[in-house]
Each structure stands twice: as C-alpha cells, then as structure tokens.
C-alpha cells in the first residue's frame, strides 16, 4: 500500500520560509511525477509545484520564484521549499504522486493527508 506522509507545516510570519517534506513508502514500480497542491478555505485546490521524472518543474505564477520542488535520489522523499511566504499562502498543503504499483498497472494519483501552513503576523 502506497503511503504519503507530509511534514514541516506550521505557523510562520510573513516573509519567512518553510520546507515541507513528503515521505513516500510502499510498493511502487515507478513514479511519473511528484507535485504539491494546496487547499485554502473557500478556494479550489491549486497546484503549487510539479516535478516530472525528467527533472522538469512547473510552478504557477502565484508562487513562481518563491517556491522550489525537489526530491531525493531514492525518489522516496519530495520537498517543497517556500520562501518569502505571504498570508495568501496559508492553506493545507498536499503531496501528490502519479505512480504505478506494478509494471502492468495504469498509473494513478496518490495523496498525503496534508499539512497546515499558516502565514500570519
């Protein structure tokens, strides 16, 4: 069973930084992409950062230049470095991977339980 566990969230002041981590475990054949999403009250889920298997990254304009997604060499941890945080960045942040558990499976999305990030003075 594939599990994603996020950590690193918390309460910070505007302008500060946070680094989120997502530990990936379970039986995985391969991971096609990794991503971070966020969900704030009253808003739709938003992509924050994406990383494909070739190392290409994608960021929406709302966070471009302030966040960076990365992973370790074992593909079992994905990170989100967030700098110059704004109150508008407050949300629950979710880790996501598109992966296959077996070679013959179709890829599917897996999600973590989320970690709260609150940016407030």
């Amino acid at each position: 069973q594939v599990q994603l566990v996020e950590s690193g969230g918390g309460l910070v002041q505007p302008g500060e930084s946070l680094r989120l981590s997502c530990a990936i475990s379970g039986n995985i054949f391969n991971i096609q992409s990794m991503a971070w999403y966020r969900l704030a009250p009253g808003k739709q889920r938003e992509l924050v950062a994406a990383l494909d298997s070739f190392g290409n990254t994608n960021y929406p304009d709302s966070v471009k230049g302030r966040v960076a997604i990365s992973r370790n060499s074992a593909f079992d941890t994905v990170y989100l470095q967030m700098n110059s945080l704004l109150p508008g960045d407050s949300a629950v942040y979710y880790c996501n991977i598109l992966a296959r558990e077996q070679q013959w499976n179709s890829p599917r999305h897996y999600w973590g339980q989320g970690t709260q990030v609150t940016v407030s003075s």
Side-chain angles (χ1 to χ4, degrees), residues 9-13 18 85-87 89-91 93 116-120:
L11 172 63
V12 297
Q13 295 190 348
L18 271 180
L85 284 162
L86 304 169
D89 294 319
S90 298
Y93 284 70
Q116 177 71 47
V117 172
T118 303
V119 185
S120 175

Side-chain angles (χ1 to χ4, degrees), residues 101-113:
E101 290 190 46
Q102 303 291 342
Q103 184 177 2
W104 51 84
N105 291 150
S106 297
R108 55 157 289 190
H109 287 278
Y110 297 89
W111 296 88
Q113 83 290 348

